Amino acid sequence: MADKNNIAKTKVKVPEHSIRRLSVYLRYLYSARDNSDFYVSAPNIAKELNFDPTQIVKDLSLTGIKGKPRAGYNTFELIQAIEDYLNFDKSNRAFLVGAGSLGSALISYPQLESFGIKIVAAFDIDPEKTGKLIKRVNVLPVSQMPELAKRLKVEIGILTTTAEAAQQATNLMVESGIRAIWNFAPINLKVPDDVIVQNTSMYSNVAIMLKKLQASKQS
Amino acid sequence: MADKNNIAKTKVKVPEHSIRRLSVYLRYLYSARDNSDFYVSAPNIAKELNFDPTQIVKDLSLTGIKGKPRAGYNTFELIQAIEDYLNFDKSNRAFLVGAGSLGSALISYPQLESFGIKIVAAFDIDPEKTGKLIKRVNVLPVSQMPELAKRLKVEIGILTTTAEAAQQATNLMVESGIRAIWNFAPINLKVPDDVIVQNTSMYSNVAIMLKKLQASKQS
């Protein structure tokens, strides 16, 4: 077994930039389909979304779709191919750990299910929070996580605790068999090599934006 | 004036990776201060946070602090230096555009103010949403944005509309004098060269995590 105290490295390589763009194309394709545009071409998508058409053709080829890049792709087939590639058609059960304000907001965020993530239970260490319902999701004591993860075959954890509680919550998730952690806590999590961490730090996004705003005034 | 239809480029360069790390150090320093650790050293921080000490010294030097890297920094001075560098001690007024579920969640997210962002008004095109209060924030019709932005000198906009409404909302923000947009909508915004866009796409973060989880099972 891997050393749990190892620094989280990028162990699994995926084409992150292409995946980001594919998820943007997908949103556009949904609206094209809704507008009864049954064929779309890379130059069309490029024009609508401000992307380079060559890049689009390259990204789309990752999904294995066989289109005629200039003549066009069948919109339905293309949507299906991207959804399959991104696993968006599947519903992936997830636990949410830390039922504070951000956690509650994510539970109440209806788009999450359309991204392929279904929160089946939330956990907290605070007895004032456990035993309650947020929307239709139960907030349970963390002690119930290991058994429930095994029973429900949950592999995804959403971490919305405070920075202070995050590492301990992570350790429990890993012990419970969670294999991918979507981390909203502003810390660098220690996980075994075979556990995936995806960081979404609101905090650093704000910091970068404010720094750019300041720099733009000085230039 | 810049062409509004230009593709958003990275016009203002800031050391993004260092800023991300500095915001993580800051969280650690707050807890060190709360534990009465009045001196911290780069090797201490490195050990606690899984970072390389040389990198930490380099990052901290950006703030202009004069410390003795191995002997240590005064915790209070270091916090002040990072906060100054990141503009976290200031309260930056912001508008939120799109008062749906994600927008409401952000308004209700208390940490935002500690990051230096204060939402002073929210806007929506839906008459069913306008005229209401979310926490203490008024939801106003978008038509009121230009005048209010000028009166309140608001330069930051948080975009939480649907993908479909995002570009039009962006155009109005830009016309209202907004200079930095924190974009949660999954599209590539078209903005003039002098407007900053910071993207936080929940959607692509989920896609990347699911793809890594899938790849880890195949390897």
Side-chain angles (χ1 to χ4, degrees), chain A residues 95 97 123 141-150 169 172-173 176:
Chain A
F95 282 165
V97 186
F123 296 89
V142 286
S143 58
Q144 296 187 19
M145 197 196 302
E147 203 213 317
L148 209 56
K150 267 151 210 137
L172 186 62
M173 281 197 266
S176 304

Side-chain angles (χ1 to χ4, degrees), chain B residues 44-62:
Chain B
N44 283 159
I45 303 175
K47 206 180 157 206
E48 282 294 326
L49 300 177
N50 287 321
F51 285 116
D52 171 42
T54 317
Q55 186 67 67
I56 293 176
V57 172
K58 212 178 141 189
D59 291 339
L60 294 179
S61 74
L62 283 173

Side-chain angles (χ1 to χ4, degrees), chain B residues 62-80:
Chain B
L62 283 173
T63 69
I65 196 164
K66 287 181 182 79
K68 290 156 193 150
R70 302 219 148 249
Y73 300 84
N74 174 299
T75 309
F76 296 94
E77 271 182 56
L78 188 53
I79 287 174
Q80 188 65 50

Side-chain angles (χ1 to χ4, degrees), chain A residues 36-167:
Chain A
S36 305
D37 295 335
F38 297 139
Y39 279 88
V40 291
S41 69
N44 284 159
I45 303 175
K47 207 179 155 205
E48 282 293 326
L49 300 178
N50 288 321
F51 284 116
D52 170 42
T54 317
Q55 185 68 66
I56 293 177
V57 172
K58 213 178 138 191
D59 291 339
L60 294 179
S61 74
L62 283 174
T63 69
I65 195 163
K66 287 181 181 80
K68 292 157 192 152
R70 303 219 146 247
Y73 301 85
N74 174 299
T75 310
F76 296 94
E77 271 182 56
L78 189 52
I79 287 174
Q80 188 65 50
I82 299 176
E83 283 184 343
D84 284 350
Y85 179 76
L86 297 179
N87 300 299
F88 272 28
D89 53 340
K90 287 191 208 135
S91 182
N92 297 278
R93 285 189 290 267
F95 282 165
L96 181 135
V97 186
S101 58
L102 181 62
S104 305
L106 282 173
I107 291 171
S108 313
Y109 184 46
Q111 271 81 353
L112 219 53
E113 273 198 55
S114 72
F115 299 173
I117 295 277
K118 186 176 168 57
I119 299 175
V120 291
F123 296 89
D124 210 287
I125 45 167
D126 180 356
E128 298 230 334
K129 286 187 184 131
T130 57
K132 291 182 182 159
L133 272 179
I134 302 174
K135 300 279 159 176
R136 286 194 205 93
V137 174
N138 286 293
V139 184
L140 306 170
V142 286
S143 58
Q144 296 187 19
M145 197 196 302
E147 203 213 317
L148 209 56
K150 267 151 210 137
R151 261 201 298 142
L152 299 177
K153 296 192 175 61
V154 173
E155 297 187 319
I156 295 169
I158 304 175
L159 182 62
T160 48
T161 63
T162 60
E164 292 70 29
Q167 186 59 51

Side-chain angles (χ1 to χ4, degrees), chain A residues 14 16 19-20 22-23 26 85-88 115 117 182 198, chain B residues 201-214:
Chain A
V14 298
E16 297 205 12
I19 292 171
R20 271 183 214 287
L22 283 167
S23 65
L26 193 55
Y85 179 76
L86 297 179
N87 300 299
F88 272 28
F115 299 173
I117 295 277
W182 189 10
Q198 183 68 28
Chain B
S201 167
M202 306 279 236
Y203 202 62
S204 33
N205 274 297
V206 171
I208 291 168
M209 180 177 68
L210 294 180
K211 200 70 202 162
K212 283 185 179 169
L213 183 59
Q214 187 195 34

